[in-house]
């Protein structure tokens, strides 16, 4: 199986929240630490690293400083070490309510406090020494079982989740991590929650909430009874087993979820590889052979399309397009032009991909006409979480507008119609553009928005009038951007 960045394990980044709901912050000035920030921003993000010399101890590195948290024998704490030393080693002690106690490994004291009065000198654990873990990564991802090397996906027929997929293909492989009362829930693509007995439920009840534990860079999910999720039996059904300590069977990787799309040509047929290596618009339904993983190159912003048969689209002799490439090269890269509800694809020969009379695709056109335009539909985001430069998009407290700077996130539902999307939020209300560019979330009628995949992991949302949705100094979502850049790009 080619990699080429298809399977990218996410670096686990997180914030630590104390009992006063304030985040542990690493300041650039004097490399001091405090717990004063009310939300999760750049200075509040930490990375957990295993200590090479100590099996149980871990290191906490500030994501924005690149330096390590340390605690001296007298309890003083700082984030100034460029290289980890003895004082940087901590033990993570998970508590029954899902929070962590952090104990200095060499000195045996506990780390805690409030605001700028932090120390690592407590001899016992009180509420002031407890920290909730808030993941800073985008919460929608694929989950890979470390022991089975299989991806977790929803099995609608069996009404369960199972780790039995060779590839994270289709909408069923998308999982959303929901932060709920200092714990996490696993939400399936159909908006149900995984309970520890393996059943799927519609509400995030106590047995569907888990404490996160990290081990050697991997994740484990501990239920309210102290048992860990693991794939069980030949089918790999995901449920809590008997183990009260995480072994290899209980460990998982989170992988980035790239967009998976289907394309509809001018003949109203889906582009497919069902009938061989030639990429052709000849199918009436959208199944695995009509689904393509779309990955954007960070430097050139061009795209590759990877098929369920294991090959990339590539330009071949006489301008033909075949899904046979096993490595990314210039001939597998396509430039995407966004034409409102339609897209056009330009191949490495400088010509546009068109649909020939027999349905086969070929890069032989110099201009964009009806046969060169395709409807591109995102199929693996039925539920959507958006994060911008300042935080996540959430419903604004006390109004029908939307915040763009929150540390918590709301989940929105996405539906599709003729090249455009409708976004639905809490209470079933639809997004729409109000007066002076405001974006509201309580519409009775659905307004169409265009999604443009502009960078790896980032998209732009455009109104039919041509304005891009962006965050700004007000912290509210507005439809007044002229270009798909900066605060008009959203992680999704």
């Amino acid at each position: 199986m080619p990699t080429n960045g298809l399977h990218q394990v996410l670096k686990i980044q997180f914030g630590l929240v104390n009992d006063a709901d304030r985040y542990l912050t690493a300041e650039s000035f004097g490399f001091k630490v405090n717990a004063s920030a009310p939300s999760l921003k750049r200075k509040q993000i930490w990375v957990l690293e295993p200590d090479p010399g100590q099996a149980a101890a871990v290191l906490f590195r500030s994501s924005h400083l690149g330096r390590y948290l340390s605690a001296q024998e007298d309890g003083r704490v700082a984030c100034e070490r460029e290289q980890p030393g003895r004082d940087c080693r901590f033990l993570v002690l998970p508590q029954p309510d899902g929070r962590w106690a952090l104990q200095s490994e060499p000195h045996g004291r506990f780390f805690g406090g409030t605001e700028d009065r932090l120390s690592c000198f407590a001899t016992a654990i009180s509420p002031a020494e407890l920290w909730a873990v808030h993941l800073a990564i985008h919460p929608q991802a694929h989950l890979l079982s470390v022991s089975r090397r299989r991806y977790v996906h929803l099995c609608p027929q069996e009404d369960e989740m199972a780790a039995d997929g060779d590839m994270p293909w289709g909408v069923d492989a998308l999982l959303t991590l929901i932060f709920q009362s200092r714990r996490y829930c696993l939400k399936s693509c159909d908006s149900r929650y995984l309970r520890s007995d393996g059943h799927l439920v519609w509400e995030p009840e106590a047995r569907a909430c888990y404490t996160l534990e990290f081990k050697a860079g991997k994740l484990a999910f501990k239920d309210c009874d102290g048992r860990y999720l693991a794939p069980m039996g030949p089918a790999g059904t995901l449920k809590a087993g008997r183990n009260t300590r995480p072994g290899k069977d209980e460990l998982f990787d989170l992988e980035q979820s790239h967009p998976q799309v289907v394309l509809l040509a001018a003949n109203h047929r889906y582009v497919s590889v069902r009938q061989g290596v030639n990429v052709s618009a000849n199918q009436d339904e959208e199944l695995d052979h009509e689904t393509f993983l779309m990955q954007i190159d960070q430097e050139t912003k061009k795209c590759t399309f990877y098929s369920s048969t294991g090959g990339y689209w590539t330009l071949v002799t006489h301008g033909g397009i075949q899904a046979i490439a096993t490595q990314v090269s210039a001939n597998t890269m396509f430039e995407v032009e966004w034409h409102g509800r339609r897209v056009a694809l330009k191949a490495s020969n400088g010509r546009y991909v068109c649909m020939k009379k027999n349905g086969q695709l070929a890069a032989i056109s110099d201009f964009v006409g009806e046969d060169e335009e395709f409807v591109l539909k995102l199929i693996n985001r039925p539920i959507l979480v958006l994060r911008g430069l300042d935080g996540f998009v959430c419903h604004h407290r006390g109004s029908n507008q939307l915040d763009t700077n929150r540390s918590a996130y709301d989940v929105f539902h996405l539906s599709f119609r003729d090249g455009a999307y409708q976004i639905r939020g809490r209470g079933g209300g639809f997004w729409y553009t109000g007066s002076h560019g405001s974006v509201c979330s309580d519409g009775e009628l659905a307004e169409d928005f265009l999604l443009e995949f502009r960078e790896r992991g980032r998209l732009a949302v455009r109104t039919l009038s041509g304005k891009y949705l962006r965050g700004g100094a007000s912290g509210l979502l507005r439809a007044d951007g002229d270009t798909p850049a900066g605060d008009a790009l959203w992680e999704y």
Side-chain angles (χ1 to χ4, degrees):
M1 182 189 300
T3 55
N4 289 300
L6 281 178
H7 306 285
Q8 296 169 321
V9 176
L10 291 168
K11 182 189 296 182
I12 301 298
Q13 298 181 320
F14 55 89
L16 290 171
V17 192
N18 70 1
D19 194 53
D21 287 325
R22 291 295 184 263
Y23 286 81
L24 179 63
T25 303
E27 301 287 0
S28 303
F29 179 74
F31 305 113
K32 296 180 179 180
V33 293
N34 62 63
S36 303
S39 62
L40 182 60
K41 300 290 179 64
R42 192 168 59 95
K43 291 182 179 181
Q44 289 76 41
I45 296 177
W46 299 83
V47 179
L48 191 73
E49 296 181 359
D51 181 11
Q54 299 286 328
V58 295
L59 311 168
F60 290 89
R61 177 170 57 84
S62 165
S63 178
H64 88 105
L65 292 180
R67 296 178 181 241
Y68 292 88
L69 182 70
S70 64
Q72 299 183 32
E73 189 172 4
D74 61 3
R76 286 185 294 172
V77 290
C79 189
E80 60 186 353
R81 301 288 182 90
E82 293 186 5
Q83 297 296 326
R86 178 172 178 265
D87 288 342
C88 300
R89 299 202 299 261
F90 290 87
L91 300 175
V92 174
L93 306 178
Q95 302 300 299
D97 66 354
R99 289 184 288 180
W100 289 358
L102 307 182
Q103 185 180 33
S104 168
E105 193 268 344
H107 309 306
R109 302 298 180 97
F110 294 96
F111 174 51
T114 58
E115 297 184 348
D116 58 355
R117 299 182 295 277
L118 299 183
S119 69
C120 191
F121 204 63
T123 57
I125 301 171
S126 73
E129 284 74 46
L130 292 177
W131 301 89
V133 181
H134 188 175
L135 288 181
I137 60 175
H138 193 278
Q140 293 182 297
H142 300 308
L143 195 63
L144 177 68
S145 166
V146 171
S147 61
R148 299 203 180 196
R149 305 308 300 172
R150 294 291 185 270
Y151 290 92
V152 173
H153 68 101
L154 173 67
C155 304
Q157 295 82 8
E158 288 78 23
D159 208 35
E160 64 186 22
M161 288 187 188
D164 63 354
D166 292 330
M167 289 279 290
W169 210 257
V171 63
D172 291 344
L174 180 73
L175 295 178
T176 304
L177 292 172
I178 302 296
F179 194 48
Q180 176 88 14
S181 302
R182 296 174 175 165
R183 296 174 184 261
Y184 277 88
C185 304
L186 292 174
K187 193 172 190 176
S188 65
C189 63
D190 66 355
S191 297
R192 288 187 290 173
Y193 298 88
L194 178 66
R195 204 166 61 187
S196 58
D197 61 1
H199 292 295
L200 296 168
V201 294
W202 291 106
E203 297 295 333
E205 57 190 69
R207 295 188 64 198
C209 296
Y210 305 91
T211 302
L212 290 186
E213 291 191 11
F214 299 138
K215 183 177 180 181
K218 311 297 181 184
L219 274 178
F221 298 88
K222 185 170 72 171
D223 74 359
C224 57
D225 297 321
R227 315 287 181 176
Y228 292 85
L229 287 182
M232 300 288 184
T237 302
L238 203 61
K239 62 175 69 175
R242 298 180 179 179
N243 290 344
T244 55
R245 290 187 178 182
K248 189 174 183 180
D249 287 342
E250 289 76 32
L251 296 181
F252 297 88
D253 275 326
L254 280 177
E255 286 191 2
Q256 183 176 0
S257 174
H258 296 286
Q260 294 178 20
V261 300
V262 296
L263 295 103
L264 190 70
N267 63 356
H268 305 292
R269 298 286 186 90
Y270 289 101
V271 174
S272 176
V273 291
R274 184 176 299 275
Q275 294 178 346
V277 297
N278 290 320
V279 183
S280 303
N282 59 9
Q283 296 299 313
D284 292 323
E285 55 184 355
E286 48 179 271
L287 300 174
D288 282 355
H289 286 90
E290 292 72 49
T291 299
F292 302 96
L293 187 146
M294 179 180 173
Q295 192 173 24
I296 302 175
D297 180 75
Q298 197 60 42
E299 294 183 4
T300 66
K301 306 300 186 284
K302 294 181 179 181
C303 296
T304 60
F305 294 93
Y306 187 75
S307 73
S308 61
T309 57
Y312 291 95
W313 290 16
T314 187
L315 181 68
V316 297
T317 309
H318 307 303
I321 307 295
Q322 295 184 342
I324 58 173
T326 58
Q327 298 291 325
V328 172
S329 68
N331 283 343
T332 66
M333 305 297 290
F334 296 83
E335 182 180 343
V336 180
E337 292 184 1
W338 302 94
H339 296 179
R341 294 177 182 268
R342 304 290 186 265
V343 301
L345 305 176
K346 186 182 284 188
S348 58
N349 62 359
R351 292 189 163 186
Y352 290 98
V353 175
C354 76
M355 178 198 65
K356 299 197 297 185
K357 289 184 178 180
N358 63 359
Q360 290 186 8
L361 302 194
I364 56 176
S365 297
D366 294 318
F367 304 98
V368 177
E370 184 179 357
D371 288 340
E372 288 74 31
E373 288 190 324
F374 300 86
V375 174
L376 186 148
K377 176 185 176 183
L378 176 69
I379 62 105
N380 65 333
R381 288 296 188 282
I383 51 180
L384 188 68
V385 174
L386 294 177
R387 181 168 70 170
L389 297 177
D390 298 315
F392 289 100
V393 175
C394 288
H395 292 91
H396 183 71
R397 294 188 183 95
S399 83
N400 62 351
Q401 293 185 279
L402 294 156
D403 288 325
T404 62
N405 57 2
R406 299 278 293 279
S407 57
Y409 43 85
D410 281 340
V411 174
F412 301 95
H413 294 262
L414 208 61
S415 53
F416 181 83
R417 179 177 61 204
D418 188 29
Y421 299 83
Q422 302 80 48
I423 306 172
R424 183 165 43 87
R426 186 186 303 156
F430 289 97
W431 286 20
Y432 65 96
T433 50
S435 59
H436 307 296
S438 62
V439 179
C440 305
S441 62
D442 60 347
E444 293 184 6
L445 299 177
E447 181 175 327
D448 286 343
F449 293 90
L450 305 173
L451 301 187
E452 300 177 357
F453 309 104
R454 292 287 183 168
E455 295 183 3
R456 176 174 291 186
R458 287 174 168 81
L459 56 76
V461 185
R462 189 179 185 185
T463 66
L464 292 183
S465 65
K467 292 298 184 180
Y468 289 95
L469 271 54
R470 67 181 188 92
S474 68
L476 295 175
L477 188 63
R478 300 184 59 80
D480 59 7
D482 294 320
T483 61
D487 60 1
L489 287 177
W490 308 92
E491 286 185 67
Y492 64 98

